[in-house]
Amino acid sequence: GSDWSGGPYKDSQFERNYSECKRLGIGLYIDKIDNIDSDKKWTSVFTIIKKYNMTRNVTWLSYNPKISAWDQAAKFAIVAFDLSENVIESAVSIANAGHDVFINVNHENCTIEQIIECNSKLPANVCIGVWTIDDIITFEQYKPYVCAITSNKICDAMTNKT
């Protein structure tokens, strides 16, 4: 995340991160948006995203009406400890506003059966991912049921080396 509390945004770490993401062809998660406390700061953030033509490569880690108004197709992520009813309701509420939602949940606090049950209730624009799986056996167990798996050893897991 970037520190939005001050400084000229044209020179910000955010712009450097975005430039590098564009160069590498990867997306960016944006968090810590609570410090974006003025329209000027929001405009600066949105301008940088547009500058690099990366609107579709951003996932926001917090919901904010300014983001929704700026990009009606914005993607949001909910990082959750578990698949509580509150988490599911929040995801569905954001999805009902027309946004794609990614629920990223700690795999140690949800079973595959819970994920299957939740998936059956979720709209098509909501998916569940898990974090952090570093062994290939657990990786392969969750893989068919989630849209993403966060790993500290992704290369090892993908090449079946553990």
Side-chain angles (χ1 to χ4, degrees):
S2 297
D3 180 4
W4 307 108
S5 59
Y9 294 101
K10 65 182 179 175
D11 297 324
S12 73
Q13 182 64 42
F14 179 71
E15 184 158 9
R16 287 190 295 277
N17 288 345
Y18 234 88
S19 174
E20 188 66 5
C21 286
K22 177 70 173 183
R23 186 182 72 76
L24 295 171
I26 60 175
L28 186 67
Y29 287 105
I30 300 177
D31 65 353
K32 299 182 183 177
I33 64 170
D34 294 339
N35 289 334
I36 307 175
D37 57 0
S38 71
D39 287 342
K40 181 179 177 182
K41 289 179 184 179
W42 279 110
T43 299
S44 183
V45 170
F46 296 146
T47 298
I48 292 167
I49 293 169
K50 282 184 180 180
K51 175 181 176 179
Y52 292 97
N53 194 26
M54 297 280 285
T55 306
R56 300 285 52 90
N57 293 52
V58 169
T59 301
W60 299 90
L61 295 180
S62 297
Y63 180 78
N64 185 291
K66 288 190 183 288
I67 299 166
S68 186
W70 173 71
D71 181 2
Q72 293 161 350
K75 296 179 283 187
F76 294 94
I78 298 173
V79 179
F81 186 71
D82 58 25
L83 289 172
S84 69
E85 285 300 316
N86 188 43
V87 168
I88 301 303
E89 288 173 10
S90 296
V92 170
S93 176
I94 295 168
N96 286 342
H99 300 285
D100 290 343
V101 181
F102 168 57
I103 301 170
N104 197 12
V105 64
N106 183 338
H107 85 281
E108 293 177 350
N109 298 317
C110 67
T111 65
I112 291 171
E113 291 76 20
Q114 288 172 313
I115 292 171
I116 292 169
E117 181 181 340
C118 284
N119 279 334
S120 71
K121 298 176 185 177
L122 294 173
N125 57 337
V126 178
C127 69
I128 298 172
V130 292
W131 55 272
T132 297
I133 296 176
D134 289 334
D135 70 271
I136 193 64
I137 294 169
T138 307
F139 182 94
E140 291 297 335
Q141 289 171 339
Y142 277 83
K143 187 177 171 182
Y145 307 104
V146 297
C147 62
I149 299 173
T150 301
S151 176
N152 294 319
K153 299 177 182 180
I154 192 67
C155 291
D156 292 343
M158 294 302 292
T159 59
N160 290 326
K161 297 177 186 173
T162 56

